[in-house]
Amino acid sequence: HGLTGELPIGIKAAGIKTVVTIHDLIFMHHPEYYNWIDTKIYAWKFYKTCKEADRIIAISECTKRDIMRFGGVSPSKIDVIYQSCSTEFKARESEKKLQKVHTDYMLPKRYIVNVGTIEERKNVLLAVKALTMLPDEISLVIVGRPTPYTDKVKAFVAEHAMEHRVKFLHGVPHEDLPAIYQMAEACVYPSRYEGFGLPIIEAIQSGLPVVACTGSCLEEAGGNETIYVKPDDAFGMAEAIKQVLVGAPGREERIAKSQQYVKRFEGNNVAQKVLDVYNKLI
């Protein structure tokens, strides 16, 4: 079982049955985010794997469609098995913990949150641009590992004198993340392309409404009550955020329906489903 989209060379010739898990094909959709030679190597491995694997596991329907489109693979050869999502974000943190995290990170009074590596593909600059069209008391907290793209985001923040409204947090321990989610008013996830989009589910479990972007699997992760905008539409992003801030009509109903939707990803018995795939081959 190749867990990362590839199989050992020569395994088919050895007569061994094979399964491969493919998480995403971002290098096909957005090669501009990769080194040229890397995209060629990844593509070669992908095409070879599609031909040699007996079964393919995709982590979302979106990834399945991509495998069919780019690899010419029959849908009958592909099994969709969603990642299992922990329910830890559903547990409400104590008031003491919330206050400690708020003080330790000097969090704003009112903020929306973004969680994920701060890289160009994840497109957090769109949320920063949208912030210029939101009330001054609303801030944006960006939680994630920095990359060179972070400098581009910070340059926009400085150019628009928004340093007091945009906070970057790097190296946040996992145990503090639920509190950061829970004290936010909403989550924004403007990624251009994902294989699944786990932070959306974490945010919904934390009791937040979510605004995300169209074009990949995010509608699959967030369901109908998440609001989706085009990944270059800053005005649309701002208008969507206004619809989910505290006090917006229908906000609580939106959250409740979203939490009902994401139950399909909780306690997902991945092991049994993978075993079922193995049994198809035995």
Side-chain angles (χ1 to χ4, degrees):
H1 185 168
L3 299 174
T4 56
E6 59 184 298
L7 294 167
I9 294 174
I11 195 166
K12 189 173 183 66
I16 299 171
K17 296 289 186 181
T18 57
V19 178
V20 66
T21 296
I22 296 178
H23 294 264
D24 60 65
L25 294 178
I26 298 171
F27 63 91
M28 295 278 199
H29 279 279
H30 292 285
E32 66 271 22
Y33 299 142
Y34 297 83
N35 292 326
W36 178 84
I37 189 63
D38 287 341
T39 63
K40 298 302 179 184
I41 294 171
Y42 296 156
W44 178 81
K45 288 181 178 181
F46 169 67
Y47 293 131
K48 183 174 182 295
T49 296
C50 286
K51 290 179 180 178
E52 295 199 340
D54 292 294
R55 301 294 307 173
I56 297 175
I57 294 174
I59 67 164
S60 67
E61 290 289 345
C62 177
T63 297
K64 178 180 178 178
R65 291 192 297 270
D66 285 349
I67 295 167
M68 293 164 56
R69 172 188 171 190
F70 291 112
V73 178
S74 168
S76 62
K77 186 177 176 177
I78 307 171
D79 300 283
V80 175
I81 301 179
Y82 290 111
Q83 297 170 310
S84 183
C85 299
S86 168
T87 59
E88 64 181 311
F89 288 92
K90 298 175 73 172
R92 188 69 187 174
E93 295 284 6
S94 68
E95 195 60 36
K96 181 179 179 181
K97 173 71 172 182
L98 294 175
Q99 289 178 359
K100 183 177 187 305
V101 169
H102 196 280
T103 301
D104 287 350
Y105 295 99
M106 295 183 289
L107 295 174
K109 184 176 181 180
R110 297 184 66 190
Y111 65 91
I112 53 177
V113 66
N114 169 265
V115 176
T117 303
I118 309 171
E119 59 182 326
E120 191 159 2
R121 172 175 59 85
K122 292 185 182 289
N123 195 32
V124 76
L125 182 56
L126 182 71
V128 177
K129 290 178 178 178
L131 194 65
T132 65
M133 294 172 261
L134 295 176
D136 289 342
E137 64 267 24
I138 302 298
S139 297
L140 172 64
V141 175
I142 301 171
V143 184
R145 179 177 60 84
T147 72
Y149 171 75
T150 310
D151 295 334
K152 181 178 179 179
V153 180
K154 288 183 175 180
F156 182 93
V157 170
E159 181 182 347
H160 291 80
M162 297 171 63
E163 292 92 341
H164 63 295
R165 296 183 65 195
V166 181
K167 190 172 190 65
F168 295 86
L169 300 179
H170 311 309
V172 174
H174 184 76
E175 59 266 25
D176 289 345
L177 192 55
I180 294 173
Y181 272 127
Q182 289 174 22
M183 289 183 286
E185 291 196 21
C187 172
V188 60
Y189 198 70
S191 181
R192 293 184 181 276
Y193 211 87
E194 296 289 334
F196 188 50
L198 194 57
I200 288 179
I201 297 173
E202 294 173 350
I204 292 172
Q205 290 175 328
S206 301
L208 300 184
V210 177
V211 177
C213 282
T214 58
S216 63
C217 70
L218 301 185
E219 294 97 329
E220 200 173 337
N224 292 335
E225 296 302 320
T226 290
I227 302 178
Y228 306 94
V229 301
K230 293 180 180 179
D232 292 304
D233 185 2
F235 177 79
M237 174 65 72
E239 291 301 303
I241 292 172
K242 290 176 184 176
Q243 294 180 52
V244 298
L245 294 175
V246 170
R251 180 179 186 272
E252 299 309 315
E253 182 181 4
R254 184 184 300 279
I255 293 170
K257 288 182 177 179
S258 294
Q259 290 179 325
Q260 190 64 33
Y261 174 82
V262 300
K263 284 183 179 179
R264 69 191 61 197
F265 305 120
E266 298 169 0
N268 190 7
N269 193 342
V270 175
Q272 181 59 54
K273 292 177 180 178
V274 172
L275 183 59
D276 291 342
V277 174
Y278 294 165
N279 284 329
K280 290 179 183 179
L281 298 179
I282 291 177

